[in-house]
Amino acid sequence: MPEEHAELHAELRAVVRDLLAKTGPDAAPDWRTLARSGWLGLEAPEELDGAGASFAETAVVLHEFGRAAARGPYPAVAALALGALTLLEPSPGRDGLIEATVAGRTVPILALDGEAEHVPFRLLRTATGLALHGAARFVQEAPAADRLLLPALDPAGTPVLVDLPARTAGLTGSAIPVLDETRTFGEISAQGPTVPEDSVLRFADEAKAVRRLHDRAAVALACDSLGSAEAMLDATVAYAGTREQFGRRIGSFQAVKHLCADMLVKVEVARHLVGAAVRAEAGEGDPVAAAMAKSHACAAAVEVAGTAMQLHGGMGYTWESGIHVHLKRVTLDRELCGSPAAHRRRLADRYPALARGEAETYTSR
């Protein structure tokens, strides 16, 4: 990473961390403050009032949101919805929506199914025009949406993005209760609402669009989990340095040292994998880097949070410790947008010879 970018990221990270600390754990950052800070439009083109930056800068904010277990729709809007809009061909509809998002006048939510990697909606040609059908579950921050961006296949089978107000007749949404109280999720169902032609937005690269949306969502979750894992490691090391048992600080016990070292190793590996995936996403994207980051970082974060709970002893189970907040958050991160096993299967699919049991043939090439 160029040195000037590292300094910029460090400064951005410090500002975000300070804002989230002032906001506190029980409230979401003020949306107007986020808009004035420019964080909603980090990746938006400069001619549309954005900063013209890349996903690397958005990832810094996502990482800090995970570290603070912060509330609010920022990750869903800045990482997913705006990211989807930047993959579209320029049009008056797309450009206007980007400008409104950057200014904080609207909260668009991408209705990406959090359970399965597929295009959840279909556009059908009827006598009265285009009609939308389908459903998406575990849509992040769906209850906060005033506009919905719905990935769909048009009548020709081409991936498109349908932009509709959240309160459109024929579109229904219902909240899905989850243990993680820092975020909200919902199910979006379309029972044939009429879609105006100018609400159908087309991707610049239709062949890669759907894959890019899912990979971007996976990397965003990996950033969130990495931030949370780092917070749990720091909290545990600090606790082990002050908590005493048998007249000694528990951090002096070898068993505790080993567990803290294991946590550090998991975090460091995750940091490198997430860094590689973020750099790839800031460019043309890399499905392999995204799968490696998602599979490791999200699984490691759950293990780190579990160890943090163990080393805090009874304190770890108290409401005040906050460890349960991170444990529930990273557990949900792990399962959204593909489990670690699903992403590892994607990685293994690169080696069809191994899948057929022809390991010796493959490795001899």
Side-chain angles (χ1 to χ4, degrees), residues 203-219:
F203 291 102
D205 187 345
E206 297 165 340
K208 297 181 180 178
V210 176
R211 181 74 272 151
R212 289 294 305 273
L213 292 179
H214 285 285
D215 286 346
R216 189 181 177 88
V219 177

Side-chain angles (χ1 to χ4, degrees), residues 123-125 130 153-158 202:
L123 277 173
L124 302 179
R125 180 74 64 183
L130 292 171
L153 295 178
D154 72 2
T158 303
R202 299 203 170 271

